[in-house]
Each structure stands twice: as structure tokens, then as C-alpha cells.
Amino acid sequence: MKTLRVPEATVTRLSIYSRFLERLDKNGVTTVSSGEIAEGVGVSPAQVRKDLAYFGEFGTRGVGYNVKDLLKYTLKILGLDQPWSLAIFGAGNLGFALCTYRGFNIRSFHIAGVFDNDPTRIGKKIGNLEVQPLDKFPEIVKSENIRIGVIAVPVSAAQEVADLMVKNGLEAILNFAPVALNVPDHIEIRNVDLSVKLEILTFNLGFRAAQNL
Amino acid sequence: MKTLRVPEATVTRLSIYSRFLERLDKNGVTTVSSGEIAEGVGVSPAQVRKDLAYFGEFGTRGVGYNVKDLLKYTLKILGLDQPWSLAIFGAGNLGFALCTYRGFNIRSFHIAGVFDNDPTRIGKKIGNLEVQPLDKFPEIVKSENIRIGVIAVPVSAAQEVADLMVKNGLEAILNFAPVALNVPDHIEIRNVDLSVKLEILTFNLGFRAAQNL
DNA sequence: ATATATTTGTTATTATTTTCACATTCAGAC
DNA sequence: GTCTGAATGTGAAAATAATAACAAATATAT
Ligand SMILES: NC(=O)c1ccc[n+]([C@@H]2O[C@H](COP(=O)([O-])OP(=O)(O)OC[C@H]3O[C@@H](n4cnc5c(N)ncnc54)[C@H](O)[C@@H]3O)[C@@H](O)[C@H]2O)c1
Ligand SMILES: NC(=O)c1ccc[n+]([C@@H]2O[C@H](COP(=O)([O-])OP(=O)(O)OC[C@H]3O[C@@H](n4cnc5c(N)ncnc54)[C@H](O)[C@@H]3O)[C@@H](O)[C@H]2O)c1
């Protein structure tokens, strides 16, 4: 096994491969080649093999990969062979959608708490979750062993929520607010910006088109 | 002005710069340096200048950039100096959140139609929008001059929705379903995958931590 | 057993992206 | 006017990532 730095793009693709493998497995497919994976997710076969090579040898030359095994390996690499408890801050529209999204549970994520500071929302049910006040956060972090926080509050509140998460020992943050947050180096943080991709589309439709690039 | 290929990462950052500039402008800041932009969005100053250099010279040496002007330029480059009408497919939890999100309107996006195939949802109001049946799509595309479609339906329906969009002449698609869609080359398509970033976090918390990388 | 067709794992090559470093330019002080 | 300090724009260098190419390995057919 290599001890090289793994590019983040490789991890991203690994997540995508694993979801493709899940689908193959559900459809009863037992063997798959790098070419078929590549075709299925829209990358090159060499890329698929290169990505997997960071973590070991999982295939059989002349044959391909065993779907069930490769799926298990990729999930393991991504850390999805164990359950992860999440805390979501902000029980607004996006928070609601995230809480009810079944796709997370399937991949070993479990929403262990939803928090909001709006008194009219606290106590309301989202599925079988109850929206909690902020002061319940510390105890729920402990009791549910939460390591990852999700920020779905307005931009104006995002930094203070991030600070609260850090103060309570969370190790990673997924931020949906379109703002760069300040957190200590040891905190893993990633932003999901729903507008940026939309603006890549308008850029391509406009500027790039005008330049004939 | 250069006629080089612009990296997509540059366009992504441009979108982020422009949002940062919006905030500065709202706060009454009139001048900003590449270093301050860099600080504000979490990249290097050289990166900021290099990104802008793809499109022209916007600053004054020794001084920096005029906030209002640079904001206007970045929006123009991104194609946001004109309104864009969107069609959203899927009036479920995510579709609902997208429809009610004010952040889109602010940046010259306008949701011109929401479509669903569930009879119990058709006719329901989301804000001042009414959920439309699929067969209304062709006429609304024309009347509202829609060029961009958003897919917020389950994976199982995503490809057929994409096909419908292509058939009706849409030019770009933003896809929230976690699956690679097949569309003709001339269609701009980007996926937004909310789980992938989460799995980068678990990877970093697990595997990467174990390797001490 | 041997040959053949496949497909992996890996090294070499190429391309892309980021960082660095600095000459150039400008505003303001004196 | 000239000098000084500051920050841009850019070409060269370094780092990173993707692609190509092929030897090694394996299953299957004969
Ligand atoms: N809705 C979307 O489709 C969408 C798209 C892109 C980005 N976003 C971003 O996601 C975030 C949430 O968006 P939304 O549409 O759900 O907004 P929303 O207004 O519907 O919900 C925000 C929620 O956060 C709560 N809140 C505010 N301050 C808080 C605090 N300090 N602690 C805890 N809770 C607090 C509010 O009470 C509210 O319930 C925003 O930053 C938005 O920019 C949303
Ligand atoms: N909710 C989330 O937080 C979340 C997170 C990540 C990804 N996603 C993805 O976004 C998509 C939507 O998620 P959701 O939670 O809103 O699901 P949802 O089930 O709440 O909504 C899906 C909607 O699509 C409609 N639909 C189904 N087939 C259709 C068709 N052919 N044409 C038009 N409408 C159709 C359904 O009637 C329903 O209203 C899914 O692909 C999901 O994987 C959602």
C-alpha cells in the first residue's frame, strides 16, 4: 500500500465509484472492469485504476473487479464501515430537506440532532427528530458521540455556529452557507455551494460561448 | 485580453470572489487588495490575481481594486449581468428548498417553473409559484425563455427528466440526483452531490488520520 | 499443457494548475 | 518634480494531476 498523499479529487471519485458499485450490486452484477466503471461515472478507465492504486490492489488481471468486494473496500476507505452521527444546525428549508433525506442513512450517516434558535421551531418534529434548542447541543454531542456538524443557517449566523461546534469538540464541518468560515487548522471543513455550479453553467453559456472556447 | 482556456477552478473561485465583493460593497468598502480578497475567501493572493488576469486588468498597481467595479466585472464574466430563468423538476424536499431560496434571486436567477409528476403535488403553491404538470413544460420553456434546468427528482427519474429537458431545447442542466446522466455534448451539465463532501470529511477523519497524512 | 484474449497495476509522459518572484506602475508625501 | 511605499500583472518554476502505454497476470478455450 502506498503512503502517498491522496488527491482530494481521488477521494471525490471514490465516493462516486462506490455509489455506482452499490447500484451494480443491487442489480445483481458480480464483476466489473475499470472500463465499465469509467463509462458508468464519466471518467477514463486509467483514472479509475490510478485512483484505486492509491489504496491497494483490488482487481484480477484479465478479469476485473468483484463488485461486492470492491464496494466493501471503497466504503471502508471512505470510513463508511462505521456509523457517523451528525448534528444539523438550522431547521429551515435546507435543514428540513437534509433531515428527511434518506440517502444519508443508507450510507451510514445518522442525524443525531437538529438545532435551531427560533423558539417557534424548537420542539417541532421533523420525521421522528425533534428540533432542539442550542443549549441542548453540548449534552447531545456527548450522548450521541457526534463528530461532524452540518451548517444550514443563514450566512450571518454561520461563523458563530461554527465556533460553537468547535468549542464542543466537533472535528469536521460541512457548511452550506455561502461564506468562508474561520476554524482552527485541526478542524476539517468543506463548503457545499449550490450557487457556484449554477454560475459555472451561466459562465459557459455566456462568456465561454462568446469566445468560442 | 487572453484567449486561453479558463480552468473551471478559476470560474468557481470567481463566483466566490464575486460574493465576497458583494459583502464588501454592502459594508461600504470601496477598495480591496488581492491579499484581502485572498484572506476573505481562503486562497492565495497570487491565485486571485492570476484568476482575474484571464479576463483582463481590473486593478491599479499600488492601490488595489475598486470594489464596485470589480464586482460588476466579475458578475459580467459569470454571465450574471442578465436574468436567467430556471425550471426545477421535482417539488420534493430539495425542490421546495431551492424554490424558496432567496439567494438565487439576488444573483439574477429566477425560478420560472416547478414541475412534478405526482398528482397530489401538482397545483400546490410554493411561495407564489404553482407546481406544474410535466405536459406544461414545453410551453413554459418558450414563454419564459428557460435555458437552464435543475433536476431534483429521485435517481430513478433523473435520466428521463434530463432527456425531456434536452428534447425541449434546454442548454444547461444542474443535477442534484447522485447519478451520472447521459446528455449530448452540446449540453452543459454539472452535478451537485451533497454526500460526496460529507464522505471527504469521513475519509479525512478516518483513513487519512490513520496514515498521519 | 499451451495459446489467446483480457484487463489489471504501474511507470513514463504530457498537460494543467499553482506558486513564486519581481519588474512595473501608481498615489501620495515632501 | 522626485522619491517612497504599495500592490498589480506576468513569465518562469514548481507542483500536481491526468493520460497513455505496456508488461504482468489470469481465465478460458483448445
Ligand atoms: N434553501 C436552499 O436551497 C439553499 C441553497 C443554497 C444555499 N443555502 C444556504 O443554506 C443556509 C440555509 O438556507 P435555508 O434556505 O434553509 O434558510 P432558512 O432561513 O429557511 O433556515 C435557516 C434556519 O436557521 C435558523 N437559525 C438562524 N440562526 C441560527 C443560529 N444562530 N443557530 C441555530 N439556528 C439558527 C433559523 O431559525 C432558520 O430556521 C443559508 O446559509 C443559505 O444561504 C440554501
Ligand atoms: N433532500 C436532500 O437533502 C438531498 C440531499 C442530497 C441529494 N438529494 C437528491 O435530490 C433529489 C431529490 O431529493 P428529495 O429529497 O427532494 O426527494 P423527494 O422524494 O422529496 O422529491 C422528489 C420529487 O420528485 C418528484 N418526481 C419523481 N419523478 C418525477 C418525474 N419523472 N418528473 C417530475 N417529478 C418527479 C416526486 O413526485 C417528488 O415530489 C434526489 O435525487 C436525491 O437523491 C437530496
Side-chain angles (χ1 to χ4, degrees):
Chain A
M1 186 177 311
K2 300 289 179 54
T3 293
L4 246 66
R5 211 184 115 325
V6 180
E8 184 150 318
T10 289
V11 183
T12 298
R13 285 188 296 264
L14 220 58
S15 166
I16 293 167
Y17 301 157
S18 83
R19 202 147 34 206
F20 179 68
L21 291 166
E22 239 161 28
R23 215 165 72 230
L24 290 183
D25 187 37
K26 205 176 319 177
N27 293 346
V29 180
T30 57
T31 302
V32 68
S33 69
S34 58
E36 289 162 339
I37 296 174
E39 167 77 21
V41 306
V43 302
S44 74
Q47 182 81 83
V48 172
R49 298 199 296 275
K50 195 78 190 283
D51 285 337
L52 294 173
Y54 282 103
F55 304 100
E57 304 190 6
F58 305 109
T60 307
R61 294 175 190 214
V63 179
Y65 304 89
N66 177 285
V67 172
K68 268 194 201 311
D69 288 349
L70 188 58
L71 173 57
K72 208 165 56 193
Y73 288 128
T74 52
L75 288 176
K76 174 104 195 286
I77 292 164
L78 291 168
L80 303 181
D81 56 341
Q82 58 179 288
W84 292 92
S85 293
L86 308 181
I88 296 187
F89 272 68
N93 295 319
L94 185 60
F96 184 87
L98 293 171
C99 286
T100 53
Y101 182 47
R102 282 203 60 252
F104 287 142
N105 301 337
I106 291 168
R107 284 175 85 79
S108 82
F109 293 106
H110 158 69
I111 295 168
V114 201
F115 301 86
D116 206 295
N117 70 350
D118 179 346
T120 68
R121 299 199 189 224
I122 293 167
K124 291 260 163 62
K125 284 274 189 162
I126 299 183
N128 50 7
L129 270 172
E130 191 178 308
V131 178
Q132 302 288 337
L134 300 196
D135 56 23
K136 279 281 181 59
F137 183 53
E139 88 186 52
I140 294 176
V141 166
K142 299 247 154 47
S143 65
E144 296 279 344
N145 189 28
I146 296 172
R147 300 172 64 192
I148 303 177
V150 177
I151 295 182
V153 301
V155 168
S156 57
Q159 183 63 57
E160 68 185 83
V161 166
D163 293 343
L164 186 64
M165 288 177 170
V166 172
K167 197 172 118 192
N168 282 277
L170 296 205
E171 297 162 59
I173 295 175
L174 187 68
N175 173 36
F176 284 91
V179 62
L181 300 177
N182 243 299
V183 294
D185 280 352
H186 64 277
I187 306 288
E188 288 290 336
I189 185 163
R190 291 297 180 283
N191 285 17
V192 178
D193 195 316
L194 310 193
S195 304
V196 163
K197 291 282 179 90
L198 201 45
E199 296 177 6
I200 289 174
L201 295 179
T202 58
F203 172 80
N204 286 347
L205 252 33
F207 194 90
R208 190 166 271 173
Q211 305 269 310
N212 265 321
L213 294 178
Chain B
M1 186 176 313
K2 299 290 180 51
T3 294
L4 245 67
R5 211 187 122 299
V6 180
E8 183 148 320
T10 289
V11 182
T12 298
R13 285 188 296 264
L14 219 58
S15 167
I16 293 167
Y17 302 157
S18 84
R19 202 148 33 206
F20 178 69
L21 291 166
E22 240 160 29
R23 216 166 69 232
L24 290 183
D25 187 35
K26 205 177 318 176
N27 293 344
V29 180
T30 57
T31 301
V32 69
S33 69
S34 59
E36 289 162 338
I37 296 174
E39 168 78 20
V41 306
V43 303
S44 74
Q47 183 80 83
V48 172
R49 295 198 299 273
K50 197 61 172 221
D51 285 337
L52 294 174
Y54 281 103
F55 304 100
E57 304 189 6
F58 306 110
T60 306
R61 296 178 187 208
V63 179
Y65 304 89
N66 178 285
V67 172
K68 268 196 202 308
D69 288 349
L70 188 58
L71 172 58
K72 208 165 57 192
Y73 286 129
T74 53
L75 288 176
K76 174 104 194 284
I77 291 164
L78 291 168
L80 302 181
D81 55 341
Q82 57 179 288
W84 292 92
S85 294
L86 307 180
I88 297 187
F89 271 69
N93 295 319
L94 186 60
F96 184 87
L98 294 172
C99 286
T100 53
Y101 182 47
R102 284 203 56 251
F104 287 143
N105 301 338
I106 291 168
R107 284 175 85 78
S108 82
F109 293 105
H110 158 70
I111 295 166
V114 201
F115 302 86
D116 206 296
N117 70 351
D118 179 346
T120 69
R121 298 200 188 224
I122 293 167
K124 290 261 164 60
K125 285 273 188 161
I126 299 182
N128 51 6
L129 271 171
E130 191 178 309
V131 179
Q132 302 289 335
L134 299 197
D135 55 22
K136 279 280 180 60
F137 183 54
E139 85 186 55
I140 293 176
V141 166
K142 298 247 155 48
S143 66
E144 295 278 344
N145 189 28
I146 296 172
R147 300 172 63 191
I148 303 177
V150 177
I151 296 181
V153 302
V155 168
S156 57
Q159 183 63 57
E160 68 185 82
V161 167
D163 293 344
L164 186 63
M165 288 177 171
V166 172
K167 199 172 115 192
N168 283 277
L170 297 204
E171 297 161 61
I173 295 175
L174 188 68
N175 172 36
F176 285 91
V179 61
L181 300 177
N182 244 299
V183 294
D185 280 351
H186 64 276
I187 305 288
E188 289 289 336
I189 185 164
R190 292 296 181 283
N191 286 16
V192 178
D193 195 316
L194 309 193
S195 304
V196 163
K197 293 281 179 88
L198 202 44
E199 295 177 7
I200 289 174
L201 294 179
T202 59
F203 172 81
N204 286 348
L205 252 32
F207 194 89
R208 187 166 274 174
Q211 305 268 311
N212 265 323
L213 294 178

